[in-house]
Amino acid sequence: MSEGGYERFNVSSLEDAISDALSPGLFSKKAMVFEGKEIPYKDSKPLEPLLSSENAVIVNVAIVDGRTKLGKWLNKQKCVEKVNALNQFQEDKIKAELAMRSLKLGLDLSIHGKQYLLEAVGSDIGRMQRELELIKAYFGDGQVLATELPTLVPDYAQTSYQLATALTEFPKTVYERTQSLIDLGIHPLQILATLINRIEKLMLTAIGIESRLAREQIAEELLHLPNNGRVFYLIKDVEYLSAKQLQQAFVELCGLTHRLKRGTRSERLPLELALIASKLA
């Protein structure tokens, strides 16, 4: 599970979390998630080495006693922020977070600016805070120009979807597009998740066509879509592709995801995806 740009790993104890976070990681950034009612420590010393580590420990607890040495230390460091686990459907809460956080920073956001940020950042509250701080640093106390926001705050979902489309339609651009996404700071596993989602839908659509299913059946039985309007475009997208080609690409993408989780260097991702795209050309 990825959150706030980090790959999350659940751990059974705070000792394990600290040990893993200080050891060489599989990825350039990772986070250990420790969950419990309270931290079984009164002293801050076990956590202090993490300040110089590129990895992070997310301590998901209900109680941190502010009267203890640990509680006072955490407050002093100002490095602990409650992670709001909002989902994409909690639109009102996401809007409220955006309004509250931009107000705290003294940002002058227009309606168009707020709308773009909601679309580009979505329910990732951690990223929302980072982007708002970046916007504040760029515009200072001046008016935030909505026309400049796409340059400062890229829409990762949109650019990842463009790569997913290029995988089957513009294979020659896949290497460059993938490298651009990585340069933007998008985690390779996030990129692969978008690609897998797209290829899976195309694969199921192709299977439905080759099985001579009606459009309504493809939508309801294979894709579980509420209506068949979107299937029309998926059918057009697989016009020159076979179910076998898409199935092979799907298997290779899942395999690549597994290898990345096992420690394969993410620098190879642009080349790996370009090779997969070449087989779909």
Side-chain angles (χ1 to χ4, degrees):
M1 180 179 179
S2 180
E3 180 172 353
Y6 288 97
E7 183 72 8
R8 289 181 55 152
F9 297 84
N10 288 300
V11 291
S12 57
S13 70
L14 189 56
E15 293 98 326
D16 290 342
I18 295 168
S19 174
D20 287 339
L22 292 175
S23 64
L26 294 177
F27 308 100
S28 60
K29 291 182 179 180
K30 66 178 180 179
M32 300 295 148
V33 182
F34 175 78
E35 298 191 3
K37 290 184 179 179
E38 60 183 17
I39 303 177
Y41 282 101
K42 300 296 182 183
D43 191 17
S44 64
K45 288 191 180 299
L47 289 170
E48 289 176 7
L50 298 176
L51 287 177
S52 59
S53 169
E54 65 177 357
N55 298 323
V57 169
I58 297 175
V59 185
N60 185 12
V61 295
I63 301 171
V64 178
D65 192 340
R67 296 168 298 180
T68 64
K69 289 182 179 179
L70 175 60
K72 292 176 181 177
W73 180 79
L74 290 172
N75 289 330
K76 183 179 179 181
Q77 298 302 321
K78 296 182 180 179
C79 58
V80 176
E81 181 177 337
K82 183 178 178 182
V83 178
N84 297 353
L86 299 179
N87 63 55
Q88 59 182 324
F89 302 109
Q90 294 176 294
E91 188 174 344
D92 290 342
K93 290 185 178 180
I94 296 170
K95 287 181 177 178
E97 285 285 342
L98 176 60
M100 180 269 292
R101 290 168 186 268
S102 57
L103 182 63
K104 276 188 175 181
L105 290 170
L107 285 171
D108 182 12
L109 288 173
S110 66
I111 294 176
H112 295 298
K114 289 178 181 177
Q115 188 59 40
Y116 176 77
L117 288 174
L118 289 171
E119 293 173 0
V121 179
S123 59
D124 188 340
I125 302 302
R127 184 189 168 204
M128 179 187 290
Q129 180 65 30
R130 293 192 299 275
E131 300 293 8
L132 288 173
E133 290 172 0
L134 173 65
I135 292 169
K136 178 65 177 179
Y138 185 83
F139 289 101
D141 295 327
Q143 183 181 8
V144 177
L145 301 178
T147 53
E148 294 189 28
L149 286 181
T151 303
L152 288 174
V153 185
D155 187 337
Y156 291 169
Q158 182 62 29
T159 50
S160 294
Y161 181 79
Q162 289 170 355
L163 172 61
T165 302
L167 199 69
T168 55
E169 297 180 15
F170 309 103
K172 291 183 179 179
T173 68
V174 166
Y175 185 96
E176 184 179 350
R177 286 178 184 273
T178 305
Q179 190 60 59
S180 296
L181 291 178
I182 292 174
D183 291 342
L184 284 172
I186 305 178
H187 197 287
L189 290 176
Q190 290 179 280
I191 297 172
L192 285 169
T194 303
L195 297 181
I196 288 172
N197 181 268
R198 162 80 172 169
I199 293 298
E200 182 179 24
K201 284 183 171 61
L202 293 176
M203 177 183 69
L204 293 172
T205 302
I207 290 172
I209 293 171
E210 293 179 14
S211 301
R212 300 185 183 279
L213 297 181
R215 188 189 301 175
E216 292 79 6
Q217 289 177 288
I218 295 174
E220 295 174 11
E221 298 174 19
L222 297 182
L223 300 174
H224 305 293
L225 294 174
N227 59 69
N228 61 16
R230 191 177 170 193
V231 178
F232 172 80
Y233 296 101
L234 289 170
I235 290 173
K236 287 188 65 177
D237 290 341
V238 300
E239 188 175 1
Y240 301 106
L241 295 168
S242 68
K244 185 177 180 180
Q245 280 179 295
L246 291 163
Q247 186 175 23
Q248 182 180 0
F250 179 77
V251 170
E252 289 184 10
L253 288 170
C254 290
L256 182 53
T257 299
H258 179 69
R259 293 198 301 277
L260 279 175
K261 288 181 177 180
R262 298 283 293 178
T264 300
R265 292 186 305 170
S266 59
E267 291 86 353
R268 287 185 53 84
L269 185 63
L271 178 59
E272 296 273 8
L273 293 182
L275 290 172
I276 293 173
S278 68
K279 298 174 185 177
L280 293 170

